[in-house]
Amino acid sequence: MGNSRSRHRPAPSSAASTGGSSQPSGQQPQAVPTYPPSQVYAPPGVYYPAQQAGAPPGYANNGQLYGAGAPPSGPWRPQVPSTPAPPPPTGARPGGPAPPGAPPPPGGPPPTPAATPAQELTQTATIRNAVNLKKNTLEVTPVPGSPNRLAITFTFDASQPCAVTTFVAATEEPARGCRLVPAKQEPAPPLYYDKGLGLKFPAPGPEGAQHVIDLSLYEEAQLLEAGRDTFPLIIRLETVTDKGKREGHTLQELSPGGEQQPWVQSQTTFAALHREEDGSYAVRTLKQKIWVEGVSYELQEIYGLEQSVAAARAGAAAGADNDADNEERLCVICLVNERDTTVLPCRHMCMCHECAQELRKQTSKCPICRNQVESLLHIKMYKGPKPAPQQAMTERQVADAQAANAAAEAAEAAASAGGSSPAAVAVASA
């Protein structure tokens, strides 16, 4: 008796043979359900490489991929078993060269280590400037009785006879030998000077009084602002080179503002005016250029060079070391050696040569402004001849000096007694 609603387990497809009984005829066989094989999990700490032979397929569960690892990023490639390196040949040292006749190592010779680039040293050319205008002495002063006229004054040094010419609101033409073309005011006749230090411009006389700026001819903006090649005030100092003198050239051949000749060496100072708080005019130097053997160079100031030289001169004149002077001329790193190396492009002369070389190995920053160091300029300054070392006196020289001193004392004693000894006089004269 059974309940019609009760659930019965399906009959198996084949019954166990009991007593040779078989399935009744006329009844269809039932299909046997199939189940997927059990999932194979990797042991703890062991992961199958992606898409390798023998690895079970991966399956996703809760957004994670298990079994096969991450999907491959490229085509599958079989793993190549690594072969051990062959033993070194007999007689070879570890890390040393192979003995003669040994076969080359597999894969070719080992790569040669890259050589460390050596520091490049370049010998710079030194140009001796025959004339030099001191920028801090350049001034303009009103001409007495003429408020619209400003006199140009400055101090300069010259190691050769030179000619000085001034230009107002002039344009430089670098393509034509640095020729100077004034806008309105024609340049005054050049003034000629003999060589000397601390020369004053203008020289006394009517010709010097012509080197002025006439304010009535220009607008104020023309004197306060400089253009690309136009400058409110230009001063040129010219001299003849030694080669030009041998060729017979003189300063009188030069035309004011004309094209620079190869036998001329000159310095040109470019400046502009500006207003002071009291309304007066002052001069601001913009740049300086020199002309040497047909080539124009722009001068770049080295910060700390003048202070170092001035401190050295002050210390030599005083005859004793001064702490303030030492700080101006000693290296900012070691505080022992004198400064002789300039950092480029910032142009700070602040280190000695030894500290500069060590600095390049550790950093590439200037110790003053912290800008990038591109190169170093070592300046060898002449400090005058060293005094000759005092040599020790020999025994005979010491004996002669003692004898001369004794004779001098005996002569003084005899003279004070009113008489002189013949022996003492003979020794003294000898």
Side-chain angles (χ1 to χ4, degrees):
M1 295 177 66
N3 190 359
S4 62
R5 297 192 177 189
S6 63
R7 308 174 81 181
H8 299 277
R9 182 174 298 180
S13 58
S14 59
S17 59
T18 56
S21 62
S22 61
Q23 187 171 348
S25 60
Q27 189 176 1
Q28 296 294 334
Q30 297 181 359
V32 179
T34 58
Y35 299 94
S38 301
Q39 181 67 40
V40 179
Y41 297 95
V46 178
Y47 301 92
Y48 290 105
Q51 301 296 329
Q52 294 295 331
Y59 67 96
N61 185 10
N62 198 19
Q64 300 292 332
L65 184 63
Y66 297 92
S73 58
W76 175 81
R77 296 179 181 178
Q79 292 185 344
V80 180
S82 59
T83 57
T90 306
R93 293 184 305 168
T112 305
T116 304
Q119 295 184 355
E120 183 180 357
L121 301 178
T122 304
Q123 182 70 28
T124 58
T126 303
I127 299 176
R128 185 179 300 275
N129 193 15
V131 287
N132 179 46
L133 186 149
K134 300 180 179 181
K135 297 184 294 184
N136 57 344
T137 64
L138 182 56
E139 298 178 350
V140 289
T141 57
V143 177
S146 301
N148 290 333
R149 296 166 65 89
L150 299 177
I152 305 170
T153 62
F154 56 87
T155 304
F156 67 98
D157 300 331
S159 60
Q160 299 289 339
C162 65
V164 183
T165 314
T166 59
F167 305 84
V168 180
T171 302
E172 183 191 27
E173 297 181 355
R176 302 188 60 181
C178 297
R179 190 180 68 156
L180 300 177
V181 180
K184 298 180 181 180
Q185 188 176 344
E186 291 296 328
L191 299 183
Y192 299 97
Y193 288 82
D194 199 357
K195 63 180 182 179
L197 301 177
L199 301 176
K200 301 294 183 180
F201 181 90
E207 295 181 352
Q210 301 181 28
H211 292 266
V212 296
I213 301 176
D214 193 348
L215 300 178
S216 61
L217 299 178
Y218 309 96
E219 298 180 359
E220 189 175 24
Q222 293 180 281
L223 301 178
L224 301 182
E225 300 176 0
R228 179 178 180 181
D229 294 323
T230 303
F231 300 90
L233 178 60
I234 301 178
I235 302 170
R236 174 164 289 177
L237 286 69
E238 298 172 294
T239 184
V240 180
T241 63
D242 295 338
K243 182 178 179 181
K245 293 178 181 178
R246 292 192 298 268
E247 295 176 354
H249 297 288
T250 61
L251 293 173
Q252 285 70 22
E253 299 180 27
L254 301 175
S255 59
E259 296 185 11
Q260 300 279 273
Q261 302 298 326
W263 48 269
V264 172
Q265 182 177 357
S266 67
Q267 183 192 58
T268 306
T269 303
F270 304 85
L273 305 184
H274 67 92
R275 285 278 194 176
E276 296 285 0
E277 296 181 356
D278 57 358
S280 61
Y281 286 98
V283 183
R284 174 172 53 94
T285 303
L286 302 177
K287 64 179 180 179
Q288 286 184 316
K289 298 172 65 175
I290 60 174
W291 177 272
V292 180
E293 296 181 355
V295 181
S296 178
Y297 302 90
E298 182 174 351
L299 299 179
Q300 299 289 344
E301 182 179 0
I302 296 179
Y303 304 112
L305 179 60
E306 294 183 0
Q307 293 83 348
S308 180
V309 174
R313 291 177 179 175
D321 292 337
N322 189 357
D323 295 339
D325 295 338
N326 287 337
E327 293 180 359
E328 293 291 339
R329 59 191 178 94
L330 294 183
C331 172
V332 298
I333 297 180
C334 65
L335 298 177
V336 176
N337 301 325
E338 295 187 2
R339 305 177 184 181
D340 59 0
T341 302
T342 302
V343 180
L344 299 178
C346 62
R347 307 193 306 275
H348 283 123
M349 183 176 177
C350 55
M351 295 180 292
C352 63
H353 183 65
E354 291 77 9
C355 291
Q357 297 300 324
E358 293 296 329
L359 181 70
R360 292 299 299 270
K361 300 177 183 179
Q362 302 177 8
T363 181
S364 58
K365 303 291 184 180
C366 172
I368 300 298
C369 63
R370 308 304 299 171
N371 286 334
Q372 193 74 15
V373 177
E374 295 183 1
S375 60
L376 298 173
L377 177 61
H378 183 207
I379 302 176
K380 296 182 179 180
M381 294 182 293
Y382 177 73
K383 302 177 182 179
K386 295 183 179 180
Q390 188 175 3
Q391 299 179 356
M393 298 178 63
T394 62
E395 294 182 358
R396 180 168 183 175
Q397 290 176 343
V398 173
D400 293 343
Q402 292 176 353
N405 292 337
E409 293 176 358
E412 292 178 358
S416 60
S420 61
S421 170
V425 173
V427 173
S429 62

